[in-house]
Amino acid sequence: MKLISWNVNSLRVRLAQVLQLLDEETPDALALQEIKMTEELFPLAAFAERGWHALVCGQKAYHGVALITRKKAELMHKGAPPGMDDAAARLVAARMDGITIVSVYAPNGQEVGSQAYAYKLNWFAHLADWAATLEGPLALLGDFNVAPEDRDVHDPKRWQGKILCSEPERAAFRDLLARARLTDAVRALTEAPMFTWWDYRLRAFERGWGLRIDHALVRGLSPVRACVRTDYRGMERPSDHAPLVVEVSP
Amino acid sequence: MKLISWNVNSLRVRLAQVLQLLDEETPDALALQEIKMTEELFPLAAFAERGWHALVCGQKAYHGVALITRKKAELMHKGAPPGMDDAAARLVAARMDGITIVSVYAPNGQEVGSQAYAYKLNWFAHLADWAATLEGPLALLGDFNVAPEDRDVHDPKRWQGKILCSEPERAAFRDLLARARLTDAVRALTEAPMFTWWDYRLRAFERGWGLRIDHALVRGLSPVRACVRTDYRGMERPSDHAPLVVEVSP
DNA sequence: GGTCAGCGCG
DNA sequence: CGCGCTGACC
């Protein structure tokens, strides 16, 4: 079973690249983040014409996630983690072949100590609460906006304690894995660097300054292969994230 | 001698199309309007590399005109018509081979009776004052924002008395021709419709709803041939105006 | 409809 | 840097 996670930073702008990725990889499920559109504007037809099903959790301008699947999947949840009293479109969960698959877009947190940072930690706690209640095989695919360890950062010193890398964020991430009994699929397979995001502002990709903040977290599924499609960062108008491709077996 | 006038509606967006037009037509002079940039931002190098000279009258965000020439031309005037006490970048005039060539971007006028409308009529009066003082062969090339006669409008009834077609605008346009002893080069050659502008909003081009508001007005030069490059309206991101190509002999 | 400015955001 | 938004202008 092939699973892909990709923060597209606007599906409007990246639709052609998404369709190309589906053509090239034919995954069982593709989890998209930052589609930045409402469900009404989602280009359902473009996917349907090519035989893909889509479940969408959208909103205006910001965030927004989707699950593109080869087989029809059953919607289980969308919006914020349950119990959060928040409308932000950051989750869509579905059941397919007895597996729960979730597209996840965690808050960025802006700056350590900010309101947004507190919100991010709280969001992770609620996500862990919810994921711990889910039964059976599970795959969380998405942009978690956390680089779990120093080896997930091109220059750990420079990023030391900064947003995406602070110890409370890393603890929240570890807590999610522990409480929901999830495995980081990439780290189960390799210790090599596997960056997935490069800051547009710093021209970070050209300089090799990446972070690993997109993840495939699985339970009841065995990671078999993982790779990052960095070639999608070399395209005309690339997203700042590259697609993360993971193969798992039951 | 081949002269072209084109309102490009942003040179930033249309640069490739302008360079293609120069390749295809190799005119003696190309008058551009609505370049929408300051002189500092003007892509001089792109023209110079291909052997073209440029004289630019630019401003931030709106308006802005330029003259692209095969031979180096001598700058005579830029800005507003003299005597207007106005900084709007709507004119650039130069002398080339003893001929005065001017790129003209007349005010739109918004609505009949508005402040902008009064300004437009005043602007035309000052343009006529100035053009009447110029000696020798003369060519005014540009977007005059006036359809001189009903046959210059796809649907004269619909446009009757409206902006671009009102009688005071037409009178101001005729007055310019009379006082500066200018000939409308297109109408000297043909009575056929020769639309140059189509409203984006109405999807006017697809419907054939054009107006002739771009003109080549000449003195001491004999019009030989005229055409509108409507194929430039079929391109990827077209301007709302098509290039007007005119050949004249001394 | 399509351009630009200026702003919020990451 | 590269998104989306609002608002002005044509």
Side-chain angles (χ1 to χ4, degrees):
Chain A
M1 168 172 236
K2 191 190 277 190
L3 305 172
I4 308 184
S5 178
W6 193 18
N7 179 323
V8 290
N9 188 15
S10 169
L11 182 57
R12 244 189 293 274
V13 175
R14 234 71 64 192
L15 178 59
Q17 293 182 33
V18 171
L19 297 174
Q20 182 183 333
L21 181 68
L22 289 170
D23 262 10
E24 292 177 3
E25 296 279 358
T26 54
D28 295 278
L30 166 61
L32 300 175
Q33 300 88 37
E34 287 207 81
I35 62 170
K36 294 189 176 180
M37 57 175 59
T38 57
E39 286 155 54
E40 301 80 67
L41 289 176
F42 189 89
L44 258 186
F47 293 99
E49 280 166 14
R50 292 164 176 81
W52 297 96
H53 298 271
L55 292 169
V56 184
C57 174
Q59 68 176 69
K60 193 176 178 176
Y62 296 111
H63 320 322
V65 292
L67 277 173
I68 313 296
T69 53
R70 176 54 79 181
K71 298 183 186 172
K72 194 167 166 62
E74 180 198 354
L75 177 66
M76 294 176 60
H77 178 74
K78 61 170 150 177
M84 268 207 79
D85 188 37
D86 179 346
R90 295 185 175 277
L91 286 180
V92 59
R95 168 112 3 162
M96 194 182 77
D97 289 336
I99 303 170
T100 302
I101 302 179
V102 191
S103 182
V104 178
Y105 177 54
N108 168 280
Q110 285 188 175
E111 220 177 308
V112 173
S114 67
Q115 273 267 316
Y117 184 75
Y119 172 79
K120 179 178 189 172
L121 296 179
N122 186 46
W123 191 92
F124 265 92
H126 281 83
L127 179 65
D129 287 345
W130 173 64
T133 68
L134 300 174
E135 292 179 13
L138 175 61
L140 302 191
L141 309 169
D143 174 2
F144 289 81
N145 270 315
V146 175
E149 300 177 280
D150 276 355
R151 61 178 167 173
D152 298 316
V153 182
H154 71 283
D155 181 351
K157 276 192 185 146
R158 184 201 167 101
W159 282 86
Q160 167 89 34
K162 293 273 197 327
I163 197 70
L164 311 183
C165 301
S166 74
E167 189 43 41
E169 290 168 89
R170 288 176 169 178
F173 183 81
R174 286 192 302 266
D175 191 54
L176 166 65
L177 270 69
R179 293 180 49 209
R181 304 176 312 285
L182 291 160
T183 300
D184 179 337
V186 166
R187 282 299 168 240
L189 291 162
T190 173
E191 304 194 0
M194 291 277 271
F195 301 144
T196 63
W197 174 78
W198 299 262
D199 197 321
Y200 279 133
R201 285 166 287 189
L202 307 169
R203 282 185 275 291
F205 185 71
E206 296 85 316
R207 297 173 171 170
W209 293 354
L211 274 78
R212 190 173 75 96
I213 62 177
D214 300 271
H215 305 291
L217 310 180
V218 298
R219 176 214 298 163
L221 300 164
S222 305
V224 173
R225 195 180 69 86
C227 79
V228 176
R229 289 293 305 266
T230 49
D231 52 327
Y232 277 73
R233 278 303 324 254
M235 293 189 167
E236 273 299 298
R237 292 174 74 183
S239 167
D240 47 348
H241 296 251
L244 170 65
V245 182
V246 168
E247 274 178 56
V248 297
S249 64
Chain B
M1 166 172 236
K2 190 190 275 189
L3 306 172
I4 308 184
S5 179
W6 193 17
N7 180 323
V8 291
N9 187 14
S10 170
L11 182 56
R12 244 189 292 273
V13 176
R14 233 73 64 190
L15 179 59
Q17 292 182 34
V18 170
L19 297 174
Q20 182 182 333
L21 182 67
L22 289 170
D23 262 10
E24 291 178 1
E25 296 279 357
T26 54
D28 294 278
L30 166 61
L32 300 175
Q33 299 88 39
E34 288 208 79
I35 63 170
K36 294 188 175 179
M37 58 174 60
T38 58
E39 288 156 50
E40 300 81 68
L41 290 175
F42 190 89
L44 258 186
F47 292 98
E49 280 167 14
R50 293 164 176 80
W52 296 97
H53 298 272
L55 292 169
V56 184
C57 174
Q59 69 175 67
K60 196 173 177 176
Y62 296 111
H63 320 321
V65 291
L67 275 173
I68 313 297
T69 53
R70 177 53 81 179
K71 297 183 186 172
K72 193 168 166 62
E74 182 198 352
L75 178 66
M76 294 176 60
H77 178 76
K78 60 171 151 177
M84 267 206 77
D85 189 38
D86 178 346
R90 294 185 176 276
L91 285 181
V92 59
R95 168 115 358 167
M96 194 182 76
D97 289 336
I99 302 169
T100 302
I101 301 179
V102 191
S103 182
V104 178
Y105 177 54
N108 169 279
Q110 283 189 184
E111 219 177 307
V112 174
S114 67
Q115 272 266 319
Y117 183 75
Y119 172 78
K120 178 177 189 172
L121 297 179
N122 185 46
W123 191 91
F124 266 92
H126 282 83
L127 179 65
D129 287 346
W130 173 64
T133 69
L134 300 174
E135 292 179 11
L138 175 61
L140 302 191
L141 308 169
D143 174 3
F144 290 80
N145 270 315
V146 174
E149 300 177 280
D150 276 355
R151 60 178 166 172
D152 298 316
V153 183
H154 72 282
D155 182 350
K157 277 194 185 144
R158 184 200 167 103
W159 283 85
Q160 167 90 36
K162 294 274 198 328
I163 198 69
L164 311 183
C165 301
S166 75
E167 189 42 40
E169 290 170 90
R170 288 176 169 179
F173 183 79
R174 285 193 302 267
D175 191 54
L176 166 64
L177 270 70
R179 294 181 47 211
R181 302 178 312 284
L182 291 159
T183 300
D184 179 336
V186 166
R187 281 298 168 242
L189 291 163
T190 174
E191 302 194 2
M194 290 277 271
F195 301 145
T196 63
W197 175 78
W198 298 262
D199 197 320
Y200 280 132
R201 284 166 285 191
L202 308 168
R203 281 187 270 294
F205 184 73
E206 296 86 317
R207 295 174 171 168
W209 294 354
L211 273 78
R212 191 174 75 96
I213 61 176
D214 300 271
H215 305 292
L217 309 181
V218 298
R219 176 215 297 163
L221 299 165
S222 304
V224 174
R225 195 179 69 86
C227 79
V228 175
R229 290 292 305 265
T230 49
D231 51 327
Y232 277 73
R233 280 300 327 251
M235 293 189 166
E236 273 298 299
R237 291 174 75 184
S239 168
D240 47 349
H241 296 251
L244 170 64
V245 181
V246 168
E247 275 179 53
V248 296
S249 62

